[in-house]
Amino acid sequence: MDIAVVALGALHNTEWLQGSGLAADERGVVCDTFCRVLDTQGQAIEGIFVAGDVARWPQHLCDGDLIAVEHWGNAVDQARNAAHNMLSATVNYQEYKHIPSFWSSQFGINIKSAGLPNLGDEVMVTQGSVEQYRFVAAYGRQGRVIGAVTFDQGRWLEAYNTLIETGATYPPQFSAPDQPVDMQSQKAGFPAVVQHA
């Protein structure tokens, strides 16, 4: 028997919050950088915090646009941040400045990612060889490094994480022993769908 599993994303269970006065809809629950839930007027509500897949917060990597990260690493880090703020005086609150990351093994290839490559407007292979399935792709957004994906080149991810955290200029300006000589930036994203008659 052939089986295909397709995952299209999570549905946020926020229906129970309708009419509560909280900024919540099918996209999640909106909070500020301290994980405090916002009301429908955009004001932080002291004493109500949110964390995990359902939380949408202003992400510093993309000019404060609201994002939700559906990954266990974010859920753990954000819950830790929210708990700290719940137990602290307002003057001791910590901003949540998570840099998303994940890893996976597919067909014997180790894939790791940091930042928000899906929001990049440019991409460039900066190390290794695509033909050998051992490379690093750096993603840029408005002239800054916003993400990186590695294929069997995980040792580079920490360096790219630093570039992402510091808002380094895209394309990245460092040399590596396995850096391609013909590096060229190109538009990121999926190619346009061609309709055939």
Side-chain angles (χ1 to χ4, degrees), residues 59-173:
Q59 173 49 265
H60 67 287
L61 295 179
C62 50
D63 303 322
D65 290 348
L66 295 174
I67 68 162
V69 175
E70 297 170 357
H71 188 270
W72 66 268
N74 172 67
V76 170
D77 290 347
Q78 195 168 34
R80 186 178 295 122
N81 190 272
H84 168 84
N85 292 345
M86 283 181 212
L87 300 171
S88 300
T90 308
V91 295
N92 295 324
Y93 279 3
Q94 294 176 354
E95 284 192 283
Y96 186 59
K97 292 198 169 189
H98 179 74
I99 295 185
S101 64
F102 78 87
W103 69 268
S104 181
S105 289
Q106 300 292 325
F107 306 102
I109 297 172
N110 183 266
I111 304 167
K112 293 184 178 182
S113 173
L116 297 167
N118 58 313
L119 297 182
D121 49 32
E122 294 185 76
V123 63
M124 173 187 288
V125 173
T126 54
Q127 269 90 40
S129 164
V130 174
E131 293 77 21
Q132 295 176 9
Y133 305 111
R134 291 180 51 85
F135 66 93
V136 180
Y139 289 79
R141 178 182 164 112
Q142 299 173 354
R144 299 281 177 212
V145 177
I146 192 169
V149 178
T150 68
F151 287 73
D152 278 344
Q153 292 283 316
R155 70 181 192 267
W156 286 107
L157 207 54
E158 191 172 326
Y160 281 92
N161 207 45
T162 300
L163 294 175
I164 295 164
E165 279 182 315
T166 60
T169 303
Y170 176 89
Q173 302 296 316

